Every structure is written in structure tokens, then in C-alpha cells.
């Protein structure tokens, strides 16, 4: 079996699956249950200064897909609403009882040096393995000058990170906000400040839905609502992109990355690792399905690694980064066309409708003698956009087949049709 153990930013864990700082890691009871289920680590729900934050009711809403599948959750809960003393006491005991698991403490205090100087020794005394700086919370805390209000200002990110490296000997992980134009700017600031790693993404500003009878967005607090933090499988594409941007940025090369955002199974985790992550954090999937999902995650990842010949995560971490580039460097002369497997086709016509109405009219609808239809690709009209493959309800029925254009590699920087092409 493949070895799932990791050393991330100097922190050891038996596997890369960590619970993210969120309601599932709010207290010792939850964390112990998670460790008993097999999670490799947790990031304790964000601690702050006393008096503790005060939460509202209700706190969550959801964006649903077919059959009420939860695609994303909107969350307006704040950082821990329990006292600092209680949290520190529980962290100390849990780490003592579970020395082989990674226990990271998430922190958020005012952007004042004295506040960080005061809390860091208290946290380090618990014996925890590292700290994660919550620079991403998009609701409630930014109004107080914390969370995303720090993460959106590179100078603050660098400054607070440096304070933490000054007053604390533990590994410092900086959790980045996705509510920013260019994620690389914040990652570079964390790197300059001495961060041992970054984690991303935190939740995305969102309103999931509106109750049209009461004319108020969800979740409802009395007669009002507010924007919250969006998480779940729907945010995975955004998270993967931001992870890749940092992983391939020369200015942050070598900076360890902990991936967060929509991870619900082993394949999701493997994709984050392939794009440069050394560990991953999970929240929404655990909230929806319970802590035991980690069993399938570990088993699935280990089996896949065995099938690919990977003995450890390090052997494929970042393997996809080199194949990720800017659009301008893609091969304009590379071409694929769609091919329909007539044996697998169920004749639903969705590919034809999508292509005819919204794409390139490259799929013909041929009426047969029995009144049914057969769908065939018109090769000369197909541009290889993949829309038919995406809309087809039958897996592997439509294949995108490369064809030889007879032309050499050519990217947009070289193309004579580009008036700003680079001189060769």
C-alpha cells in the first residue's frame, strides 16, 4: 500500500486529510471524534481575543442541484464563540492524547502587533503543531478590521505574518482569501513575511438564494439576511485555479500549499496534490456526510497511487503544474473533433440541440426509417469545443479525437495574425 504520511511545512501527519477550521473543529468533542475516524489532522476553529464572538441564528443556507444535492453552503457563522481559556485548555489535552496527529490552531485577532504578541505564546504553550492565520473570513469579521480585511491588503498580510514569525517558533500557515483580484499578490506578501506555507481557499462572498415570499435572502435572521462565505463542491474549480496560480508563480516557488475548497473524495484530493499541494483540508463534505468519509478518501487515494506506481504523495505532488500555462502559450495548431459511439448513443439528441442552438452546427440529426434519429458529427464544421461531450448524459459516448493538422506547434505570441507577436 502507498504511504500516505506527510511532512507539511515541518508538520508530520499520518495522512494528508485534515479538517478545516470550521464548525467541525470547534471543540474537543468533535476533534476527538475526527481523530478516532482516522483524520490525519485538524485546524482548530479560529480563536480570537476575549470576549468571544457572538453568533446569530440561523447561520447556513445552501445552493442545490438535482434531487436536492447540496452543491454549496453559505455560512454566516463567525469564529469561535467559546472563551479563549476553554479552547486553549482543550487543545492542550487533545494534542497530549493524540501526539501523532497534526493539530493546527487558527487565529484571528486585531491587526495590532500587541494583540498578536500576547496571544501567540498562549497558543504555542498548548503543544500544537502550528498556527494558521485566518486572513479570509468574508463576513462579520472584516467589519472589525480582521479576516478578509487583512487578506485583501498585501501590506497587512506581510506585516502580520512577520509579527507571527517574530513572536512564535511554530510553523506559520497563512490562509488566503479568494475575494481578491489576483491571489498571487497575497501569496507573495505572505512569502515575504516569512510564511512557512499558505492554505487556500477560504470561503467566497455569496448569497445563495432569496425567499420570494418573504423577500429576504437566506439564511434569515429575524427579517434580514447578509452575505456569507460560500463553500462546497461548487467552489472546487476556483480553488484549483488559485492553487495552480501560486504553484507556478516564480515568486512563490517552493512555498508549501495546503489545498482547500470542494474536496469531497480521494480524486478531488489527488487533483489538488497534482497541482502542487502537500496537504488538503475538508469541511463541507464532512458536514454533509460525517467524519467517516475519510475512510474512503484514504482507501481510494492509496489504491489509485498503487495503480499509478506512486509510493508517496511527494512523487506526484505538483506533477500537473508544468502542464499548466498561460493561454497565449497554447498550441493553436492542435485540433480535436468529436466522435460519437453509435453503439453507446441513446438517441436523446442533447448533443445536437446544444451544438445547433449555441455552438457550431456541427452535429447532424438524421431521421431514420423507424422515426428515430441518428446523430453524426460533421467533421469539417467541428471546432473541438467539447460542448457535445459535456451535455451527453452517457459517459464515454462522445470522444474528442486528436487529428493531425500537418502544422507545427504555434502559440499566440508567435502567430503572424497577432499584431503584437513576439519577435522570433
Amino acid at each position: 500500500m502507498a504511504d500516505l504520511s506527510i511532512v507539511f511545512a515541518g508538520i508530520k501527519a499520518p495522512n494528508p486529510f485534515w479538517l478545516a477550521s470550521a464548525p467541525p473543529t470547534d471543540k474537543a468533542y468533535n476533534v476527538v471524534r475526527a481523530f478516532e475516524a482516522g483524520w490525519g489532522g485538524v485546524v482548530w476553529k479560529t480563536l480570537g481575543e476575549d470576549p468571544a464572538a457572538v453568533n446569530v441564528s440561523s447561520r447556513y443556507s445552501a445552493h442545490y442541484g438535482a434531487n436536492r444535492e447540496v452543491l454549496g453552503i453559505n455560512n454566516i457563522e463567525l469564529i469561535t464563540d467559546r472563551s479563549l481559556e476553554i479552547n486553549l485548555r482543550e487543545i492542550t489535552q487533545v494534542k497530549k492524547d493524540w501526539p501523532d496527529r497534526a493539530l493546527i490552531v487558527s487565529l484571528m485577532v486585531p491587526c495590532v502587533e500587541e494583540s498578536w504578541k500576547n496571544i501567540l505564546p498562549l497558543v504555542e504553550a498548548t503543544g500544537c503543531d502550528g498556527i494558521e492565520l485566518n486572513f479570509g473570513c468574508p463576513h462579520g469579521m472584516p467589519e472589525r478590521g480582521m479576516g478578509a480585511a487583512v487578506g485583501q491588503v498585501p501590506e497587512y498580510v506581510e506585516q502580520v505574518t512577520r509579527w507571527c514569525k517574530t513572536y512564535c517558533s511554530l510553523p506559520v500557515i497563512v490562509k488566503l482569501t479568494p475575494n481578491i483580484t489576483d491571489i498571487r499578490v497575497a501569496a507573495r506578501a505572505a512569502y515575504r513575511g516569512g510564511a512557512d506555507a499558505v492554505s487556500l481557499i477560504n470561503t467566497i462572498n455569496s448569497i445563495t438564494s432569496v425567499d420570494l415570499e418573504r423577500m429576504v435572502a437566506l439564511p434569515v435572521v429575524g427579517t434580514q439576511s447578509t452575505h456569507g462565505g460560500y463553500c462546497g463542491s461548487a467552489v472546487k474549480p476556483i480553488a484549483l485555479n488559485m492553487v495552480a496560480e501560486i504553484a507556478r508563480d516564480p515568486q512563490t516557488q517552493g512555498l508549501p500549499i495546503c489545498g482547500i475548497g470542494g474536496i469531497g473524495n480521494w480524486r478531488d484530493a489527488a487533483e489538488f496534490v497534482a497541482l502542487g499541494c502537500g496537504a488538503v483540508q475538508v469541511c463541507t463534505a464532512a458536514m454533509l456526510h460525517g467524519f467517516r468519509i475519510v475512510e474512503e478518501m484514504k482507501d481510494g487515494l492509496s489504491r489509485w497511487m498503487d495503480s499509478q506506481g506512486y509510493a508517496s504523495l511527494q512523487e506526484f505532488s505538483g506533477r500537473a503544474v508544468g502542464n499548466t500555462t498561460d493561454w497565449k502559450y497554447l498550441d493553436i495548431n492542435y485540433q480535436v473533433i468529436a466522435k460519437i459511439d453509435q453503439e453507446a448513443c441513446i438517441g436523446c439528441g442533447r448533443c445536437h440541440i446544444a451544438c445547433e442552438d449555441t455552438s457550431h452546427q456541427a452535429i447532424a440529426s438524421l431521421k431514420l426509417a423507424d422515426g428515430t434519429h441518428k446523430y453524426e458529427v460533421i467533421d469539417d464544421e467541428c471546432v473541438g469545443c467539447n460542448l457535445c461531450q459535456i451535455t451527453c448524459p452517457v459517459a464515454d459516448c462522445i470522444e474528442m479525437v486528436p487529428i493531425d493538422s500537418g502544422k507545427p506547434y504555434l502559440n499566440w505570441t508567435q502567430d503572424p495574425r497577432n499584431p503584437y507577436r513576439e519577435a522570433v
Side-chain angles (χ1 to χ4, degrees), residues 19 30-42 44 94-95 97-98 100-103 291:
L19 283 173
N30 303 72
V31 172
V32 169
R33 285 179 59 84
F35 284 161
E36 289 173 343
W39 290 86
V42 303
W44 202 278
V94 171
K95 184 57 190 177
D97 295 341
W98 296 86
D100 67 321
R101 309 302 172 91
L103 201 164
F291 288 154

Side-chain angles (χ1 to χ4, degrees), residues 295-308:
E295 294 177 358
E296 293 183 6
M297 289 180 168
K298 292 190 296 182
D299 183 66
L301 181 58
S302 180
R303 289 177 183 273
W304 174 80
M305 288 170 60
D306 286 343
S307 72
Q308 301 300 310

Side-chain angles (χ1 to χ4, degrees), residues 346-378:
I346 61 174
C348 68
R350 289 175 60 178
C351 61
H352 167 72
I353 294 169
C355 189
E356 193 72 14
D357 287 355
T358 67
S359 194
H360 291 82
Q361 298 76 52
I363 297 180
S365 175
L366 307 175
K367 190 170 184 178
L368 303 179
D370 62 0
T372 62
H373 287 75
K374 177 182 179 181
Y375 302 96
E376 291 185 349
V377 176
I378 306 170

Side-chain angles (χ1 to χ4, degrees), residues 38-104:
W39 290 86
V42 303
V43 182
W44 202 278
K45 187 173 181 182
T46 307
L47 310 187
E49 293 181 330
D50 287 330
V54 178
N55 278 297
V56 296
S57 177
S58 56
R59 304 176 190 178
Y60 305 144
S61 63
H63 174 54
Y64 296 101
N67 302 315
R68 280 185 63 84
E69 176 191 5
V70 176
L71 302 178
I73 288 180
N74 179 46
N75 163 33
I76 62 171
E77 187 166 303
L78 301 181
I79 65 174
T80 183
D81 54 11
R82 303 189 310 145
S83 73
L84 180 61
E85 188 273 330
I86 290 175
N87 276 296
L88 293 175
R89 185 173 69 243
E90 290 187 359
I91 291 167
T92 302
Q93 188 62 50
V94 171
K95 184 57 190 177
K96 180 180 178 181
D97 295 341
W98 296 86
D100 67 321
R101 309 302 172 91
L103 201 164
I104 316 302

Side-chain angles (χ1 to χ4, degrees), residues 331-334 405-411 414:
D331 186 359
I332 291 175
N333 288 333
Y334 178 78
S405 67
K407 300 176 182 179
Y409 166 85
L410 180 74
N411 68 51
Q414 306 162 331

Side-chain angles (χ1 to χ4, degrees), residues 306-328:
D306 286 343
S307 72
Q308 301 300 310
Y310 296 127
S312 67
L313 264 71
Q314 290 72 27
E315 292 187 7
F316 76 95
S317 179
R319 289 287 291 270
V321 175
N323 295 325
T324 307
T325 189
D326 296 336
W327 186 95
K328 62 184 178 181

